[in-house]
PDB file of all heavy atoms in Angstrom:
ATOM      1  N   ALA J 288      39.860  49.698 108.709  1.00 98.00           N
ATOM      2  CA  ALA J 288      38.397  49.650 108.603  1.00 98.00           C
ATOM      3  C   ALA J 288      37.955  49.040 107.287  1.00 98.00           C
ATOM      4  O   ALA J 288      36.998  48.249 107.241  1.00 98.00           O
ATOM      5  CB  ALA J 288      37.819  51.058 108.753  1.00 98.00           C
ATOM      6  N   MET J 289      38.632  49.400 106.191  1.00 98.00           N
ATOM      7  CA  MET J 289      38.268  48.848 104.883  1.00 98.00           C
ATOM      8  C   MET J 289      38.363  47.335 104.890  1.00 98.00           C
ATOM      9  O   MET J 289      37.429  46.629 104.505  1.00 98.00           O
ATOM     10  CB  MET J 289      39.168  49.431 103.798  1.00 98.00           C
ATOM     11  CG  MET J 289      38.962  48.885 102.402  1.00 98.00           C
ATOM     12  SD  MET J 289      39.838  47.318 102.103  1.00 98.00           S
ATOM     13  CE  MET J 289      41.539  47.845 102.268  1.00 98.00           C
ATOM     14  N   ALA J 290      39.512  46.804 105.314  1.00 98.00           N
ATOM     15  CA  ALA J 290      39.724  45.358 105.285  1.00 98.00           C
ATOM     16  C   ALA J 290      38.764  44.633 106.209  1.00 98.00           C
ATOM     17  O   ALA J 290      38.230  43.569 105.868  1.00 98.00           O
ATOM     18  CB  ALA J 290      41.172  45.036 105.659  1.00 98.00           C
ATOM     19  N   THR J 291      38.532  45.189 107.388  1.00 98.00           N
ATOM     20  CA  THR J 291      37.611  44.568 108.333  1.00 98.00           C
ATOM     21  C   THR J 291      36.209  44.488 107.743  1.00 98.00           C
ATOM     22  O   THR J 291      35.545  43.438 107.795  1.00 98.00           O
ATOM     23  CB  THR J 291      37.581  45.369 109.647  1.00 98.00           C
ATOM     24  OG1 THR J 291      38.888  45.336 110.239  1.00 98.00           O
ATOM     25  CG2 THR J 291      36.569  44.792 110.623  1.00 98.00           C
ATOM     26  N   GLU J 292      35.748  45.583 107.153  1.00 98.00           N
ATOM     27  CA  GLU J 292      34.402  45.617 106.590  1.00 98.00           C
ATOM     28  C   GLU J 292      34.276  44.727 105.361  1.00 98.00           C
ATOM     29  O   GLU J 292      33.284  43.992 105.214  1.00 98.00           O
ATOM     30  CB  GLU J 292      34.027  47.062 106.239  1.00 98.00           C
ATOM     31  CG  GLU J 292      33.845  47.946 107.450  1.00 98.00           C
ATOM     32  CD  GLU J 292      33.590  49.400 107.091  1.00 98.00           C
ATOM     33  OE1 GLU J 292      33.143  49.671 105.957  1.00 98.00           O
ATOM     34  OE2 GLU J 292      33.854  50.270 107.951  1.00 98.00           O
ATOM     35  N   LYS J 293      35.270  44.766 104.475  1.00 98.00           N
ATOM     36  CA  LYS J 293      35.162  43.995 103.236  1.00 98.00           C
ATOM     37  C   LYS J 293      35.314  42.500 103.488  1.00 98.00           C
ATOM     38  O   LYS J 293      34.685  41.682 102.808  1.00 98.00           O
ATOM     39  CB  LYS J 293      36.198  44.463 102.212  1.00 98.00           C
ATOM     40  CG  LYS J 293      36.034  45.904 101.753  1.00 98.00           C
ATOM     41  CD  LYS J 293      34.639  46.234 101.250  1.00 98.00           C
ATOM     42  CE  LYS J 293      34.323  45.677  99.900  1.00 98.00           C
ATOM     43  NZ  LYS J 293      33.012  46.141  99.384  1.00 98.00           N
ATOM     44  N   LEU J 294      36.131  42.118 104.458  1.00 98.00           N
ATOM     45  CA  LEU J 294      36.254  40.703 104.808  1.00 98.00           C
ATOM     46  C   LEU J 294      34.926  40.173 105.328  1.00 98.00           C
ATOM     47  O   LEU J 294      34.438  39.122 104.888  1.00 98.00           O
ATOM     48  CB  LEU J 294      37.355  40.505 105.846  1.00 98.00           C
ATOM     49  CG  LEU J 294      37.516  39.095 106.425  1.00 98.00           C
ATOM     50  CD1 LEU J 294      37.816  38.071 105.338  1.00 98.00           C
ATOM     51  CD2 LEU J 294      38.610  39.079 107.499  1.00 98.00           C
ATOM     52  N   ALA J 295      34.330  40.901 106.269  1.00 98.00           N
ATOM     53  CA  ALA J 295      33.044  40.472 106.823  1.00 98.00           C
ATOM     54  C   ALA J 295      31.969  40.438 105.741  1.00 98.00           C
ATOM     55  O   ALA J 295      31.184  39.488 105.650  1.00 98.00           O
ATOM     56  CB  ALA J 295      32.628  41.415 107.954  1.00 98.00           C
ATOM     57  N   GLU J 296      31.933  41.463 104.901  1.00 98.00           N
ATOM     58  CA  GLU J 296      30.955  41.528 103.823  1.00 98.00           C
ATOM     59  C   GLU J 296      31.137  40.384 102.836  1.00 98.00           C
ATOM     60  O   GLU J 296      30.161  39.763 102.384  1.00 98.00           O
ATOM     61  CB  GLU J 296      31.107  42.869 103.105  1.00 98.00           C
ATOM     62  CG  GLU J 296      30.183  43.089 101.932  1.00 98.00           C
ATOM     63  CD  GLU J 296      30.542  44.377 101.205  1.00 98.00           C
ATOM     64  OE1 GLU J 296      30.037  45.435 101.605  1.00 98.00           O
ATOM     65  OE2 GLU J 296      31.352  44.330 100.253  1.00 98.00           O
ATOM     66  N   GLY J 297      32.386  40.069 102.503  1.00 98.00           N
ATOM     67  CA  GLY J 297      32.671  38.998 101.557  1.00 98.00           C
ATOM     68  C   GLY J 297      32.243  37.641 102.080  1.00 98.00           C
ATOM     69  O   GLY J 297      31.670  36.827 101.335  1.00 98.00           O
TER      70      GLY J 297
END
Side-chain angles (χ1 to χ4, degrees):
M289 176 277 296
T291 297
E292 292 175 22
K293 297 307 286 186
L294 174 59
E296 179 187 273

